[in-house]
Amino acid sequence: SIDFPLRPQTETEKFRVLLFGDPQPRNMQEIDWMMRDVLAELDGVDAAFGLALGDIMFDNLQFYEPLNASFATLGIPWYHTLGNHDLNFDSPDDAHSDETFKSIYGPSYYAFNYGPTHFLVLNDVRWSGSRAGQRGSYSGGLDAAQLEFIRNDLKTVPRDRLVVVAMHIPLHSLTNRQELYRLLEDRPNVLVLSAHTHYQFHEFIGEEGGWKGAKPLHHLNHATVCGSWWGGAPNELGIPHATMSDGAPNGYSFLNFDGAKYTIDFKASRHPADHQMNIWLPNQIKAGDATEIVVNVFAGSPRSTVEVKVGSGAWIPLQAVKRPDPFYVALKELEKQPAPPPGRKLPSSGNSRHLWATTLPDKLQPGTHSVQVRTTDMWNRIHSDRRLLRVV
């Protein structure tokens, strides 16, 4: 027999969860970077548990043990999601591809409650199988057995409860996401979490995306702990800056729950908690020049607003734009120089889904001006930052 005690645990409606996307170390050096860059500043963290959204490892599964030992120093329970880099690539079929993951963490899909909140952790990685020395491939989707599990599980969950669905591959890449929608859309409170892409975005899926619920489905594709796979030049501590292709830094979030309500706080690694944006603006312009300001709000969503004020002037709204972050583009340009920065090259720039831009007033007087930016998030919380601009 295997005998172990059960002890009572107090679970309240208000609690918070530490959220990681793609830790994904490929070797011990990257585990060490993670320990210094992320885990050290979380020592003594106040969270009910941690939730990792897949790609716990980067193919080499022998490093699960030292990574888990590092996570354990935080002193909180952890729940893990299967990612495409957590598979046994020599498996001849999907059914056996998660054997190593299951031997360490347990089932590759499961459900649990904490307080009144219901969590569904799914395995949305489908493996084609490797044969005759040819490595297989993966795709995003849910098999029939898992859909049946979700259907039966939700029968036990009151309709007014918040259901948090965690998966690795984001919704838009799931071949049968409509089947998942049919199981969830009669519920008023659903939040879906994913990672995988190494860029961050919020989306609210409605009828145009096939969701037929009474209100749009909130889907957060979360930033990664390893950022751009630990790419970029090392900082003064020897740790790569790891900026992601959307211009957001590597980091993690806290999910703050209160009954069926929730808020999300993104935290950029190595930075204070109030570092929520980058402001792209020249240091100096000529009087009368038309000058664009671009603001990257790392955790910004379609429901965010962004405004700018120069000196004592009026607040001016910025417009959401979908294009590469100019800060990240400049980092990529440095790689083309005769003496490029050290470190692994960054991935190609992609369109950022949390950029806002506008043109500053063209009648600024010569001198140095304070440029203030504020953003209001979907929960009406305000974050602010400022830059200085010299007009000549």
Side-chain angles (χ1 to χ4, degrees):
S1 66
I2 300 175
D3 302 313
F4 54 91
L6 297 177
R7 297 187 175 92
Q9 174 171 285
T10 301
E11 297 180 359
T12 62
E13 289 197 355
K14 290 185 176 182
F15 64 98
R16 70 174 183 165
V17 172
L18 175 60
L19 184 65
F20 277 11
D22 297 45
Q24 205 172 345
R26 53 169 61 85
N27 50 43
M28 282 304 300
Q29 181 184 58
E30 294 186 358
I31 292 177
D32 291 343
W33 284 339
M34 186 182 312
M35 289 169 57
R36 297 165 60 204
D37 187 58
V38 177
L39 298 179
E41 69 180 34
L42 285 167
D43 183 44
V45 63
D46 177 21
F49 56 87
L51 175 61
L53 296 172
D55 282 358
I56 313 304
M57 199 52 58
F58 196 163
D59 298 350
N60 196 338
L61 307 187
Q62 68 174 318
F63 291 110
Y64 275 137
E65 183 177 352
L67 180 70
N68 292 338
S70 300
F71 280 15
T73 63
L74 301 185
I76 59 175
W78 277 92
Y79 293 94
H80 290 283
T81 311
L82 180 81
N84 56 287
H85 287 283
D86 297 309
L87 300 179
N88 294 95
F89 296 129
D90 55 354
S91 174
D93 53 37
D94 183 61
H96 296 88
S97 63
D98 56 359
E99 283 189 327
T100 298
F101 180 93
K102 289 194 293 187
S103 73
I104 294 172
Y105 298 119
S108 62
Y109 60 90
Y110 54 96
F112 65 95
N113 296 314
Y114 191 96
T117 305
H118 188 69
F119 292 85
L120 264 172
V121 181
L122 304 182
N123 171 5
D124 66 348
V125 183
R126 307 293 301 275
W127 180 243
S128 67
S130 297
R131 294 173 181 84
Q134 294 294 315
R135 178 165 160 170
S137 60
Y138 72 90
S139 60
L142 303 168
D143 61 23
Q146 192 167 181
L147 289 167
E148 187 65 18
F149 168 80
I150 298 167
R151 182 179 296 108
N152 290 329
D153 172 72
L154 291 176
K155 290 177 182 177
T156 69
V157 182
R159 283 191 67 257
D160 61 341
R161 297 291 175 88
L162 173 61
V163 176
V164 179
V165 183
M167 58 183 65
H168 179 62
I169 298 176
L171 287 169
H172 65 263
S173 294
L174 302 192
T175 55
N176 57 349
R177 60 186 174 277
Q178 296 297 327
E179 295 180 62
L180 177 62
Y181 291 171
R182 300 294 87 80
L183 299 177
L184 295 168
E185 61 197 4
D186 66 334
R187 295 177 172 273
N189 303 303
V190 180
L191 169 65
V192 178
L193 306 169
S194 64
H196 180 60
T197 62
H198 297 257
Y199 54 82
Q200 180 158 259
F201 64 83
H202 291 265
E203 63 179 344
F204 298 89
I205 304 169
E207 290 185 8
E208 74 289 345
W211 173 263
K212 300 177 182 178
K215 61 181 182 181
L217 172 65
H218 183 192
H219 171 213
L220 167 59
N221 189 75
H222 193 261
T224 56
V225 167
C226 71
S228 55
W229 302 271
W230 299 110
N235 63 13
E236 69 279 7
L237 300 176
I239 303 171
H241 63 73
T243 304
M244 297 186 298
S245 63
D246 62 351
N250 69 311
Y252 51 90
S253 286
F254 288 104
L255 306 177
N256 311 295
F257 295 100
D258 184 358
K261 299 178 180 178
Y262 62 88
T263 59
I264 303 173
D265 295 320
F266 175 68
K267 171 67 172 62
S269 296
R270 301 184 301 275
H271 294 280
D274 61 359
H275 179 59
Q276 294 293 319
M277 68 185 78
N278 269 340
I279 302 171
W280 179 261
L281 191 65
N283 292 321
Q284 178 175 298
I285 64 171
K286 291 183 179 180
D289 281 358
T291 303
E292 185 181 52
I293 179 173
V294 181
V295 180
N296 188 333
V297 182
F298 309 137
S301 82
R303 297 182 178 179
S304 298
T305 61
V306 183
E307 302 168 286
V308 61
K309 181 172 73 169
V310 181
S312 59
W315 286 103
I316 303 168
L318 281 74
Q319 302 301 314
V321 295
K322 189 175 180 180
R323 65 194 200 209
D325 178 286
F327 169 74
Y328 189 84
V329 171
L331 289 176
K332 286 296 294 179
E333 287 297 317
L334 290 175
E335 296 178 353
K336 301 176 183 178
Q337 302 301 313
R344 184 178 290 115
K345 286 189 175 182
L346 296 167
S348 299
S349 59
N351 287 335
S352 179
R353 295 171 64 167
H354 37 81
L355 287 184
W356 283 259
T358 194
T359 301
L360 293 180
D362 59 5
K363 297 182 180 179
L364 297 177
Q365 297 299 311
T368 302
H369 300 265
S370 173
V371 179
Q372 301 179 62
V373 175
R374 69 182 182 189
T375 179
T376 304
D377 68 16
M378 69 182 82
W379 299 285
N380 292 316
R381 302 177 304 182
I382 296 175
H383 307 282
S384 59
D385 206 341
R386 67 191 288 264
R387 277 284 305 274
L388 296 180
L389 174 65
R390 185 167 54 250
V391 180
V392 297

